[in-house]
Amino acid sequence: MNSSALLKECKSFCDKFDNNIMNETSILNEYKYFIVENNEERQIGFVNLFGFNEDKTDAELGVVVGDKTFWNKGIAYKSVKAVIEYAFKELQLSRIHIETGEKNTAALRLFSKLGFKKCDEYCEDCGFKFIVMESFAKEKYGIRKRSKNTI
């Protein structure tokens, strides 16, 4: 991909973010970031929760391990697993979902390994196909009902 195509893709993502993820209700724009560090406490990535629905039972999850020397070492798996447990048990989310490009086989493998199931797919105007996967608290932890809003 050349630089102008990359810039176009970035602009498309930013427009989608502003129009589809950001919400007029500021509480729904909340982000929760979890920093991933190596053994020397150097930041190598993050996991985040965002795009909460109105009753805060559903959120989207993202993960980035930016330092390629830490890829394929189970770090993303352990980090995301910890955040999922926190989100279901402490934040009392009922559902977590992810969206990733169909060619992002590493992410698709990671989330399949974590028990996420494909629930949808869609194509963007730019021609990219995205896969949506989801995981439910009741399937992972037997949690059936939220007792209170803790976010």
Side-chain angles (χ1 to χ4, degrees):
M1 175 180 288
N2 65 31
S3 59
S4 65
L6 181 59
L7 288 172
K8 184 178 178 182
E9 181 181 343
C10 288
K11 179 169 179 1
S12 174
F13 176 81
C14 289
D15 290 343
K16 178 184 175 200
F17 183 85
D18 286 342
N19 296 325
N20 297 334
I21 295 174
M22 296 305 286
N23 189 293
E24 290 177 9
T25 308
S26 64
I27 193 133
L28 299 180
N29 294 330
E30 184 173 350
Y31 276 71
K32 295 208 176 283
Y33 278 94
F34 306 85
I35 302 300
V36 178
E37 296 180 338
N38 66 3
N39 291 336
E40 290 82 40
E41 297 183 1
R42 186 171 62 96
Q43 296 175 1
I44 59 170
F46 65 87
V47 180
N48 65 337
L49 290 168
F50 61 97
F52 293 90
N53 65 350
E54 273 191 53
D55 61 359
K56 294 201 172 190
T57 58
D58 182 20
E60 187 169 348
L61 185 141
V63 59
V64 172
V65 176
D67 187 333
K68 291 182 180 185
T69 61
F70 291 96
W71 289 7
N72 299 312
K73 297 187 185 311
I75 293 168
Y77 177 85
K78 289 176 190 172
S79 301
V80 171
K81 186 176 179 183
V83 171
I84 291 168
E85 185 170 327
Y86 172 80
F88 285 150
K89 291 183 175 181
E90 301 299 321
L91 299 181
Q92 298 183 356
L93 294 180
S94 300
R95 176 182 179 260
I96 298 172
H97 66 279
I98 64 109
E99 296 181 15
T100 190
E102 71 174 333
K103 294 183 181 180
N104 188 347
T105 56
L108 294 169
R109 262 192 327 272
L110 169 66
F111 287 102
S112 291
K113 189 175 176 182
L114 287 161
F116 281 66
K117 305 281 190 251
K118 179 180 173 183
C119 62
D120 198 9
E121 61 183 54
Y122 64 93
C123 290
E124 284 290 319
D125 295 337
C126 56
F128 292 113
K129 184 176 178 181
F130 290 89
I131 306 297
V132 181
M133 299 177 80
E134 63 188 357
S135 181
F136 292 92
K138 66 182 177 185
E139 293 171 4
K140 276 209 166 308
Y141 301 104
I143 300 168
R144 299 203 183 274
K145 185 178 177 183
R146 288 172 55 107
S147 60
K148 62 182 177 177
N149 187 346
T150 59
I151 297 178

